[in-house]
Amino acid sequence: MTNLTQNERSVCLLAIESSCDETSASVLCNGKIRSNCIASQKEHAGFGGVIPEIASRAHMRNIVPVVDEALQIAGVKKDQLDAIAFTSGPGLIGSLLVGASFAKAMALALNIPLISINHMQAHVLAHFIADPKPGFPFLCLTVSGGHTQIVYVEDFFEMKIAGQTLDDAAGEAFDKTATLLGLPYPGGPVMDELAMTGNPFRFLFPEPKIADLNFSFSGVKTAILYFLQREKSKNPDFIKENLNDFCASVQHSIVIILINKIRKAAKQFECNEIAIAGGVSANSYLRKKLTQEAEKNNWHLYIPETEYCTDNAAMIAMAAYYKFLVNDFVPQTVSPSARMYF
Ligand code: KG4
Ligand code: ZN
């Protein structure tokens, strides 16, 4: 990107995301993202999940090159920054500490303010990176590896959780199924790809009976486990012979649970501004089914670019911009927290 002109200069932020296994840095100038660099950790692929200790060490190796790259692509020098933002939670504490310590040290050295961002709020605010942007109030289905929530968004930082998972997250249901199938972590994108040529109606899994807007995925996960055990005892090649249909059927079951709840929430809140966010919102079947549902119900549907669905620092920068505008800064004594609520 070209260097900043004088007009573009007035607010320039660096944001850092390190809550799980992605080390990411982004530069935003005057409300526009100029760079969004992500180092994804391949180290966890064989483990079926993120190993916290390995993640922290990888963040330490990645953070300096990723921040340098983000500044260089943005054409911004360190002394042109007005504030530094970081993810303060929720997430893996060791991973969060790397980003937080780096951001604090850099802000101290440059003598500029620090901005603390809630990762889940940032997923929602990723919708303000590009047009069309949702109007307030809107409902956001936020589905990631650690969370599954329906959020009622009244303003940038006025968010209420209308429903959430009582056990596993939707992303976990994808990832754990993928592990049972012998697929690498993270399993969601791999299953999405395999499901493209599979039959979503070949195998059926039960939908949990939860009357309110909360979710549960543990029953589906157990049903998948028992089903696989039974079929494999009859035919040891069951997975190999049915992989695409199986992925498509599991994906269909997870997506239907999500869509039925958002439809219910839309009715309950009388809201037709509907958005999705978080890693699972990159799922092509969810995007397709939700688009069909939006047409049926006359919803205005907002689906972010896939780059802004999975963990990224651009969403942290976008959220930080709205905090910067109201001078919402934190002191150097701030600490990240593994659990964090709105
Ligand atoms: O938001 P995210 O990047 O990290 C967390 O905050 O957890 O979400 C990661 C989750 C993982 O469970 C991953 O398998 C899932 O998002 N995911 C997908 C897809 N892309 C990422 N799940 C289904 N289909 C996808 N295309
Ligand atoms: Zn996330």
Side-chain angles (χ1 to χ4, degrees):
M1 216 176 238
T2 51
N3 285 351
L4 282 179
T5 63
Q6 201 51 41
N7 282 349
E8 286 170 316
R9 184 40 215 104
S10 45
V11 177
C12 245
L13 308 177
L14 169 70
I16 293 165
E17 154 63 32
S18 70
S19 64
C20 191
D21 58 341
E22 249 90 38
T23 320
S24 181
S26 170
V27 174
L28 170 148
C29 296
N30 282 339
K32 296 266 171 287
I33 299 297
R34 287 182 68 95
S35 62
N36 181 37
C37 301
I38 305 173
S40 292
Q41 302 176 5
K42 302 282 173 251
E43 289 87 338
H44 311 282
F47 292 101
V50 177
I51 309 294
E53 177 64 21
I54 294 178
S56 317
R57 288 177 190 276
H59 282 305
M60 289 202 289
R61 279 195 303 278
N62 294 341
I63 197 152
V64 172
V66 168
V67 167
D68 280 347
E69 191 191 358
L71 288 167
Q72 205 209 335
I73 290 174
V76 170
K77 297 197 170 47
K78 290 185 187 100
D79 63 6
Q80 292 180 303
L81 293 172
D82 296 292
I84 300 189
F86 67 99
T87 305
S88 50
L92 300 171
I93 192 63
S95 292
L96 289 165
L97 276 164
V98 177
S101 310
F102 187 94
K104 283 162 76 170
M106 196 163 166
L108 190 65
L110 296 170
N111 195 24
I112 53 177
L114 261 181
I115 302 174
S116 153
I117 298 294
N118 177 310
H119 180 86
M120 297 312 293
Q121 288 194 329
H123 269 304
V124 174
L125 296 176
H127 283 285
F128 292 86
I129 293 174
D131 287 327
K133 301 179 175 81
F136 296 117
F138 66 94
L139 281 166
C140 189
L141 172 68
T142 312
V143 266
S144 71
H147 294 81
T148 299
Q149 302 173 332
I150 292 178
V151 185
Y152 186 62
V153 189
E154 289 174 293
D155 206 340
F156 293 109
F157 298 100
E158 292 292 318
M159 301 185 193
K160 287 191 193 95
I161 296 177
Q164 61 188 326
T165 183
L166 303 172
D167 40 56
D168 296 340
E172 239 175 309
F174 274 108
D175 296 338
K176 292 197 172 145
T177 304
T179 303
L180 293 175
L181 297 174
L183 302 172
Y185 177 86
V190 186
M191 285 184 61
D192 189 352
E193 185 74 34
L194 289 166
M196 278 175 192
T197 50
N199 174 1
F201 306 107
R202 172 90 189 279
F203 308 108
L204 294 177
F205 300 101
E207 189 177 342
K209 300 271 172 285
I210 296 179
D212 56 19
L213 295 177
N214 287 326
F215 299 87
S216 167
F217 289 97
S218 66
V220 183
K221 211 178 65 184
T222 310
I224 291 168
L225 173 69
Y226 287 160
F227 179 84
L228 272 180
Q229 282 175 347
R230 207 170 46 242
E231 293 303 320
K232 271 169 46 184
S233 70
K234 287 190 262 170
N235 171 11
D237 288 332
F238 175 81
I239 293 179
K240 209 164 71 195
E241 288 169 9
N242 299 284
L243 188 59
N244 299 75
D245 286 351
F246 195 80
C247 288
S249 300
V250 170
Q251 178 177 263
H252 176 77
S253 306
I254 296 171
V255 165
I256 291 304
I257 294 172
L258 297 173
I259 289 190
N260 286 347
K261 283 287 162 163
I262 194 75
R263 191 193 304 111
K264 191 169 186 164
K267 275 207 187 107
Q268 197 171 308
F269 283 82
E270 295 179 357
C271 180
N272 70 346
E273 292 281 296
I274 307 292
I276 50 169
V280 179
S281 66
N283 183 267
S284 60
Y285 192 71
L286 173 62
R287 294 162 90 96
K288 185 175 118 191
K289 286 283 171 198
L290 211 48
T291 305
Q292 292 168 353
E293 194 64 30
E295 276 165 20
K296 259 195 257 163
N297 296 291
N298 286 323
W299 294 341
H300 301 142
L301 180 66
Y302 303 89
I303 303 183
E305 295 287 319
T306 47
E307 178 189 4
Y308 302 130
C309 290
T310 46
D311 287 350
N312 67 87
M315 67 185 193
I316 306 300
M318 202 65 237
Y321 178 63
Y322 294 109
K323 288 208 169 184
F324 184 91
L325 295 180
V326 292
N327 293 329
D328 187 351
F329 304 129
V330 289
Q332 278 283 334
T333 49
V334 67
S335 298
S337 176
R339 285 177 188 274
M340 187 173 276
Y341 306 96
F342 292 175

